[in-house]
């Protein structure tokens, strides 16, 4: 069914590139339904994105925001977009404060000596080089820390051991994230000199799950780290028996004059080029693993979908823009992109980001404006053979990097991937290429190319309020 042939790729109206690529037959006279079926089937056999994430994680590895590795990833992405036939390809830099991990060590010093597995939270300040050695106070639930009186933690290390339950759509992460983001300042307000929390992970391995923290303005910044799940459980058991002392050493550094990179490219629309469907993922990653499921897989999905659309002999009606964000993990990229592209925002008709691993898509959420439309029925029919069924509620989030665009009025869609085991690996040293199943990644890519292609072709105005809406 698929052949390796020399295919003409369409480019900036007149710029063409020659590339040897697996192709499929899609003709000018095909209806959208026929073309989308061919795209979907081609995606299931295509390994373009999978090969990209293999190269990214193998030749570059971790891509912490603001590092040389992140810059090299942006150059690899730029070349990949150009080679695939994208136009208007460019890298944009923006200023960030880079954060570099350094050493992270912890041990119980009393009642007995025991090593603990910890990792500093992104953005954490350092301990003194010799570390901090003091008594801990354990809180089984974060709300108990919030209920503690000011001064009650004076000179101690606060430890929150609240677990995060498993969920298909990852909803529990959204509920638990305040433990990591807000915990250090809440502990400091009550007198704590350092903060530890049970990793926001659903596994039971001795791996810490990192992630960014956010210090509150005007509150003393204290060192903060995540404990592996078994180590948090160990501290809870020890604390139930009596006083426990810990020594903690964290030596991160930061660079206030670093820069991160966002890469983008377009396939210009043939009929309505000023209407842009924007799909994205983030190129940066945490530093312990190689950023395969977060978010090399998302990059693979949107590049894979974009590459298939680039091979079509007939241009889609609207413009497709693929954006590979930098510094998502440190919270910079979404706001930076929305600021740099404020003039574009009225022309972006639909957006979404792939940032939830490498597993199958099981459901999709469309903008409210698509409810009860021919477009939505066509999309549902096209996704059905992939085992994907629509969710009735409208999409209210398209990913962290898309959130500022969404807040500025850009409608979003969401293709939900099976996240039951996503938080077993998320932000750990185990986030490596071997965790990606090429067939599941291909199914997700097929879902994206289906949704994106039909969104490029429809006349539906996604910005228009839904029929029956009072807005
Ligand atoms: Zn991510």
């Amino acid at each position: 069914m698929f052949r390796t042939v020399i295919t003409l790729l369409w480019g900036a109206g007149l710029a063409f590139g020659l590339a040897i690529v697996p192709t499929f037959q899609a003709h000018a006279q095909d209806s959208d339904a026929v073309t989308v079926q061919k795209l979907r089937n081609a995606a299931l056999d295509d390994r373009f994105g999978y090969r990209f994430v293999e190269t990214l994680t193998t030749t570059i590895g971790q891509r912490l925001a603001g590092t040389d590795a992140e810059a090299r990833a942006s150059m690899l992405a730029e070349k990949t977009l150009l080679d695939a036939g994208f136009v208007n390809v460019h890298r944009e830099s923006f200023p960030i404060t880079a954060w570099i991990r350094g050493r992270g060590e912890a041990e119980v010093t009393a009642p007995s000596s025991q090593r603990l597995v910890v990792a500093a939270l992104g953005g954490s300040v350092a301990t003194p080089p010799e570390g901090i050695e003091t008594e801990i106070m354990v809180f089984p639930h974060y709300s108990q820390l919030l209920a503690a009186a000011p001064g009650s933690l004076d000179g101690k290390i606060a430890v929150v051991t609240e677990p995060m339950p498993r969920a298909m759509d990852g909803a529990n992460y959204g509920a638990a994230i305040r433990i990591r983001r807000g915990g250090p300042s809440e502990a400091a307000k009550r007198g704590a000199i350092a903060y530890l929390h049970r990793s926001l992970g659903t596994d039971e391995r001795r791996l810490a799950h990192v992630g960014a923290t956010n210090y509150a303005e005007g509150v003393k910044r204290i060192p903060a780290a995540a404990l592996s799940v078994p180590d948090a459980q160990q501290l809870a058991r020890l604390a139930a028996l009596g006083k426990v002392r810990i020594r903690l050493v964290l030596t991160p550094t930061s660079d206030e004059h670093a820069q991160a990179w966002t890469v983008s490219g377009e396939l210009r629309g043939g009929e309505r080029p000023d209407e842009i469907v924007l799909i994205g993922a983030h190129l940066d990653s945490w530093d312990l693993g190689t950023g395969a499921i977060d978010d090399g897989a998302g990059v693979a999905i949107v590049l894979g979908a974009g590459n298939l659309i680039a091979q079509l002999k007939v241009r889609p009606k609207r413009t497709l823009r693929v954006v590979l964000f930098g510094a998502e993990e440190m919270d910079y990229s979404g706001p930076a992109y929305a600021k740099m592209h404020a003039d574009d925002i009225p022309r972006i008709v639909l957006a979404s980001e792939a940032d939830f691993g490498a597993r199958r898509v099981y459901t999709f959420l469309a903008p409210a404006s698509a409810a009860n439309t021919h477009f939505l029925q066509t999309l549902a029919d096209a996704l059905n053979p992939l085992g994907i069924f629509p969710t009735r509620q409208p999409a209210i989030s398209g990913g962290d990097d898309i959130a500022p665009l969404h807040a500025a009025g850009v409608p979003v869609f969401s293709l939900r991937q099976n996240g039951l085991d996503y938080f077993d690996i998320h932000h750990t040293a185990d986030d490596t290429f071997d965790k990606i199943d090429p067939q599941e990644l291909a199914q997700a890519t097929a879902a994206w190319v289906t949704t994106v292609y039909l969104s490029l072709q429809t006349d539906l105005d996604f910005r228009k309020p839904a029929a029956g809406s009072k807005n």
Side-chain angles (χ1 to χ4, degrees):
M1 187 162 57
F2 299 98
R3 302 168 299 139
T4 298
V5 295
I6 294 180
T7 304
L8 275 178
L9 300 171
W10 60 262
L14 41 91
F16 291 90
L18 278 174
I20 297 174
V21 287
T23 192
F24 53 91
Q25 300 296 310
H27 297 288
Q29 65 270 28
D30 283 351
S31 68
D32 289 346
V34 171
T35 302
V36 84
Q37 186 183 344
K38 288 177 176 175
L39 283 167
R40 186 186 69 215
N41 292 340
L44 291 174
D45 280 351
D46 187 47
R47 294 294 179 265
F48 183 89
Y50 183 70
R51 293 298 165 218
F52 178 84
V53 65
E54 180 180 30
T55 302
L56 179 74
T57 54
T58 304
T59 66
I60 298 175
Q62 69 81 29
R63 302 172 300 282
L64 195 63
T67 61
D68 180 54
E70 193 217 352
R72 281 187 286 127
S74 72
M75 288 185 261
L76 177 67
E78 180 183 43
K79 182 179 185 315
T80 304
L81 285 167
L82 284 169
D83 289 350
F86 279 73
V87 298
N88 198 15
V89 176
H90 54 272
R91 300 161 68 228
E92 301 170 343
S93 71
F94 50 97
I96 67 162
T97 296
W99 178 88
I100 307 296
R101 178 171 304 284
R103 282 162 58 219
E105 294 159 16
E107 61 183 326
V108 175
T109 55
S112 61
S113 177
Q114 302 187 26
R115 290 290 296 271
L116 298 167
V117 173
V118 297
L121 299 185
S124 173
V125 294
T127 62
E130 69 280 10
I132 292 168
E133 207 260 329
T134 187
E135 197 180 318
I136 63 169
M137 187 169 284
V138 171
F139 298 93
H141 293 283
Y142 185 64
S143 59
Q144 292 167 313
L145 169 65
L146 298 182
S152 60
L153 290 169
D154 278 352
K156 293 181 179 164
I157 296 176
V159 182
V160 174
T161 59
E162 181 171 330
M164 184 180 85
R166 203 176 278 283
M168 186 107 165
D169 64 358
N172 294 330
Y173 182 66
I177 200 164
R178 64 188 189 140
I179 297 171
R180 190 185 78 217
R181 289 195 177 269
S185 289
E186 293 298 339
K189 283 181 202 168
R190 292 160 177 83
I193 58 169
Y195 177 78
L196 297 172
H197 75 91
R198 174 174 156 149
S199 284
L200 304 185
T202 47
D203 63 304
E204 284 165 349
R205 291 167 305 158
R206 276 191 102 179
L207 292 172
H209 296 241
V210 299
T213 193
N214 308 98
Y215 291 116
E217 286 295 325
V219 178
K220 185 171 163 45
R221 298 180 169 213
I222 61 172
L227 289 153
S228 83
V229 167
D231 288 279
Q233 292 170 331
Q234 178 80 331
L235 286 185
R237 283 190 298 270
L238 278 169
L241 300 174
K243 287 190 176 178
V244 179
R245 293 180 70 84
I246 280 182
R247 191 175 76 88
L248 176 69
V249 183
L250 303 175
T251 65
T253 54
S254 54
D255 174 3
E256 289 175 16
H257 304 290
Q259 58 183 355
W261 299 89
T262 282
V263 187
S264 63
E266 290 183 339
L267 300 173
R268 299 287 292 169
E271 223 171 79
R272 282 170 280 145
D274 283 339
E275 296 182 11
I276 300 166
V277 174
L278 185 155
I279 60 172
H282 67 88
L283 266 176
D284 69 303
S285 76
W286 283 107
D287 53 338
L288 299 176
T290 60
I293 67 158
D294 188 12
D295 186 25
V299 175
I301 289 167
V302 297
L303 277 180
N307 178 58
L308 287 165
I309 292 171
Q311 290 178 49
L312 291 175
K313 291 188 172 69
V314 183
R315 295 178 184 215
K317 293 176 181 170
R318 288 169 164 158
T319 291
L320 173 64
R321 181 182 294 177
V322 172
V323 183
L324 305 174
F325 297 92
E328 186 271 350
E329 299 291 8
M330 292 297 282
D331 305 331
Y332 289 103
S333 47
Y337 188 83
K339 192 175 161 198
M340 287 191 289
H341 293 273
D343 293 347
D344 283 355
I345 291 176
R347 296 189 291 129
I348 303 173
V349 300
L350 188 65
S352 192
E353 180 174 25
D355 186 17
F356 200 58
R359 294 230 179 269
R360 297 173 60 85
V361 171
Y362 66 93
T363 191
F364 72 94
L365 289 80
S369 54
N372 305 313
T373 61
H374 176 69
F375 163 80
L376 192 58
Q377 190 55 52
T378 306
L379 177 59
D381 291 346
L383 291 173
N384 181 283
L386 297 170
I388 300 169
F389 301 93
T391 301
R392 282 188 177 276
Q393 75 213 59
I396 52 165
S397 166
D400 285 351
D401 288 315
I402 303 299
L405 299 177
H406 187 40
V410 176
V412 297
F413 69 89
S414 174
L415 287 159
R416 285 206 179 139
Q417 292 169 260
N418 177 0
L420 265 181
D421 65 357
Y422 181 65
F423 291 102
D424 289 356
I425 295 165
H426 180 252
H427 294 187
T428 71
D430 251 4
D431 182 2
T432 47
F433 177 68
D434 53 291
K435 307 306 182 303
I436 299 177
D437 177 329
Q439 288 182 342
E440 291 207 42
L441 189 73
Q443 187 268 5
T445 307
W448 274 79
V449 77
T450 298
T451 306
V452 169
Y453 181 73
L454 291 176
S455 302
L456 292 168
Q457 293 299 92
T458 183
D459 295 329
L460 183 64
D461 178 359
F462 292 109
R463 285 176 176 267
K464 233 172 92 183
S469 160
K470 289 187 192 120
N471 299 318

